[in-house]
Amino acid sequence: MSLFFKIKQKNKKAMKIIVFLIMTALLNDAFADVIICKESERSALSTFRKDLEDSSSRLSSWRGADCCQWEGVICDNITGQVRELRLRNPHDAPCSRRSYGVAEFQAYHRHKLGGRLNPSLLKLEFLNHLDLSCNDFHGAPLPDFISSMRNLHYVDLSSCGFHGAVPSRIANLSRLRHLNLGDPFPIFVESKVRVSSMQWLRHLSSLEHLDLTGADASSASDWLRSLGNLHSLLALRLSRCGLPPVISGNAANLTRLAQLDLSWNNFDSPLPRWIYSLTNLVRLNLSHCGFYNQLPTGLQNMTKLEYLNLSSNHFSSNFPPWITRLNNLKVLAAADNMIEGELPATMDNLTSLVSLDLSQNRIGGMLPKSLSNLCNLQELYLYINSFSGGLPDFSGCISHSLRILYLGWNNLSGPLPSNLKQAAKLRELDLTYNKLTGPLPSSLEELQELESLVISDNSFKGIVSESHFRNLSGLKIFRANGNRFTFKPNRDWIPPFQLEGLTLRSWRLGPEFPPWIKHLKNLQYLSLANTGIEDAIPSWFWTLTPQLKYLNLSSNMIKGQILSLLDFGMSRNVAVDMKHNLITGPLPRLSSNVTILDLSFNRISGSMHHFLCGNTEKDMRLEILDLANNFLSGEIPDCWGNWSSLSVLRLQANNLTGKIPSSVGLLTRLQSLHLRRNNDLSGALPISLQNCTGLMLLDLGLNHFSGHIPIWIHRLSELVVFNLRLNRFWGEIPVELCLLSRIQALDLAGNNLSGRIPSCFDGFNVMAGRQKPGERMYYSADDTFGVIPDSQYLVVKGRLGFYSNILHWVMTLDISDNSLTGPIPAAITSLSKLQGLNLSRNCLTGTIPEHIGGMNLLESLDISKNKLSGEIPQTIVELSFLSNLNLSCNNLTGRIPSSTQLQGFDASSFTGNELCGAPLPGSCGGNEGSRVGGEDEEERAKSIFETEVFGLATSIVVGFAVGFWTVIVSLLVNVSWRNAYFGVLTRMGNYVYYVWVKFLLWCWCFSS
């Protein structure tokens, strides 16, 4: 009985407690609306707001008596004390790792807070959560007063543009559990937070989350040791901190650590062993760290790993089978390493895998069939490897999950699989640059979720029909360049998709301009290059151009005129490529948004004046202009001031006349200038050209420029290619030319230069091997939205060659066909990287330099038709790469040095000298040398009627008679032909006069 009474009494007490709690909750709900913040805290927040810059009025609600109702202010429900201040930018995409567009960035910019952080926040005594992230305080120092807010549990000042050292007094925040001072992509370099030491971390023993991403911790050699007291740490992010390597550290106390991010630190070491002790890790990011050696086997014990990123290091082992034992992995990334071997057959052990990225390695062999059993795999990136064989079929469970498949840049062959339709959830498929063959399978239409299809540069061929695209309504990107498909749908066909990118280079689409293009209203990238179009561009096409960023219609037979390119309005960086067509008429007016324009190899005619000078806009953004190989005429206009962004200007092979205008000197960003083969350009080089100090390529060859080579040429110190070939420059070669230390191709041939070759040519540091050659020099757009190098014609080995991809490796020096005198300076032999040297057709005297063998990369040497004497140096046999040699027509004597290389040349390389020995006929014997040349006496004794000369002469006489009267009759009948004919005769006469004068000068030189 007493026991029952006791139990009853206890139940009564419990009921009273329950009733009290219920009443308290009800009272809290009833009076919640009447709890207001303290006046002192409201005043502190108002003061704080006054010093902030708030252009979007985000804090417009910060008025009235109750600060607990203000935006971002969270109060205690009972006391009304301010506990949390959450002022993160609501448009935070630029501060996160997700992609964003222009509209999102503009929204972020509008809503960011700035100004000054007022220490009035110190009056918020009970504040435990402070988030000011993703705003912009313009390089202000981290607020030191926060170190005195001892109740803070959570501090996030990430991506705020703060600058300077982390205050050491932050160690006072002993209750801190979350600290984020990171800024992965600071807008300004000076906006970096600096951490010279991490000793202050020892006092933050409650810390669970630490993010210093982007901080400069390059001097914090104690960073790992300072983490030793953080027993509660769960997440550590030190990406992009410039951390010094710690090879033999100890991380034994970080037993709870689940997330570690050390990416983008250049440790340049093997993977440190202390990482192996972190066996509770769930996420590990070691990408872009400069780690090398084999993939470390110590990672196989981290069986809890769900995310492992080892990309962009220098790991160089075979793909390790032990990785397949990490069966909790959801994301495995080891791209951009040097991993070799084959993928193991046990890949299907990775049953949890959602994303696999092994791209940009050296993995080869067949794609294992076990990949098709990865039932959760959604993303597979294996591009830029050496995989061979056929594509995997989609018979396994992978077909139900796979969303993204990138297999481009391998050696895969064969047709597309017939069961492609099984991969019905594919959104992105990239097979570019393989050896795939066959037609486009009809099952393509079953991939109804497909958004991006890239099959460029394979060997596909066949007919493509409308039915292939019938159900692809979501397709946005279709790139199929370099295949031999034919696609000629009905004229009234309306595509089911709205593409943003379409590139069909080398398809057969013509001869009509494809009418179905007019239905693609969202196009941003379009390439119909080399598609057999023989039509004029229809007027409706220009209604599509406002949103275009890239247009390539090159290598067709497009006719007619282009009156205007003013409609490219939505993008600020537009590339237009219409080279190699039959476009006629004048140059079109140009939008200021166009940055690349290529109209070369067309039939555009008339003056450039309206194109250059008729543009009233001051901020033309054009960077690359190529109008080469057209019929432009008149003088080059003197109004280049509005085109200050130009870096590449190609006007070669037109009919331009006059001088180079002085306003070209306003193009201070110019890197490449081509005026070659405008045969009537003349005059001296304008002194203003010296302002173009960034010029790397200057080609003025095959014109009528005259005067001295200017001594200010040394100011163009970046010059790599300098070509004045076949002009009328005269006087001595200035010694200032030797200051062009980066020069790799120098061509002064075919002028009237005299005097001695400067003895300072050893100042060409790149040719001498004292300086590395530059990278690819100048770039233009191609139809894969990338870049290609600029090109140049150069005379190498006596032949005119076209150089593009390897232009930056060519090393040539050609000063032939002038009137230079004196010896060959010994300094030339120090140019050990030179590949071609041509000093022929001058008046050079003396001997061949003794150390010419030191030019061991020389492939072509021509010093013929000079007055050189003495013997051929024995060191010439050391020129093992020599494939073109001409020493003829000098006064050389003695025996030709013996080597397989020299004796392999034709005898004509040595004729016109007093030389003996192979390959010349006869032997030296007692006579050290005899002049080889002249006609054979027996051949000369033949009757003229017994030779082929007689037949040739007869043919010439008869042909001349018939041709002469045919031409005369034609010219009498047609006036325009007559005018053109005599114009050509005038130019030929000028050229013959020039050549005749050169010949007389050479004869005078040789006879003297």
Side-chain angles (χ1 to χ4, degrees), residues 125-201:
E125 298 178 17
F126 299 95
L127 191 72
N128 59 39
H129 185 111
L130 177 61
D131 186 352
L132 301 175
S133 59
C134 200
N135 289 292
D136 187 3
F137 294 99
H138 305 291
L142 280 165
D144 184 64
F145 67 83
I146 290 178
S147 304
S148 301
M149 304 175 74
R150 296 177 181 268
N151 285 319
L152 282 174
H153 295 168
Y154 184 105
V155 174
D156 191 343
L157 302 180
S158 62
S159 299
C160 280
F162 286 121
H163 164 72
V166 176
S168 58
R169 291 201 312 125
I170 205 169
N172 296 335
L173 305 180
S174 57
R175 299 182 181 181
L176 205 58
R177 292 198 292 268
H178 181 108
L179 176 61
N180 191 345
L181 304 178
D183 192 351
F185 305 108
I187 297 176
F188 304 106
V189 176
E190 60 269 19
S191 298
K192 269 183 170 290
V193 171
R194 290 197 311 276
V195 184
S196 56
S197 172
M198 294 192 186
Q199 290 290 333
W200 48 272
L201 283 173

Side-chain angles (χ1 to χ4, degrees), residues 199-233:
Q199 290 290 333
W200 48 272
L201 283 173
R202 296 175 179 271
H203 304 282
L204 305 181
S205 57
S206 299
L207 206 59
E208 297 176 356
H209 180 109
L210 175 62
D211 192 338
L212 296 177
T213 299
D216 180 3
S218 56
S219 301
S221 57
D222 60 348
W223 66 271
L224 181 61
R225 191 167 58 253
S226 300
L227 299 172
N229 199 35
L230 305 184
H231 304 283
S232 302
L233 198 62

Side-chain angles (χ1 to χ4, degrees), residues 671-674 695-699 719 721 778 791-792 807:
Q671 295 182 336
S672 176
L673 176 59
H674 299 253
L695 268 175
M696 300 171 70
L697 188 152
L698 179 57
D699 185 356
L719 270 181
V721 177
Y778 329 107
S791 56
Q792 170 69 11
L807 176 59

Side-chain angles (χ1 to χ4, degrees), residues 890-903:
N890 280 286
N891 295 319
L892 300 174
T893 59
R895 183 186 297 272
I896 297 173
S898 178
S899 76
T900 305
Q901 187 85 1
L902 291 183
Q903 270 64 55

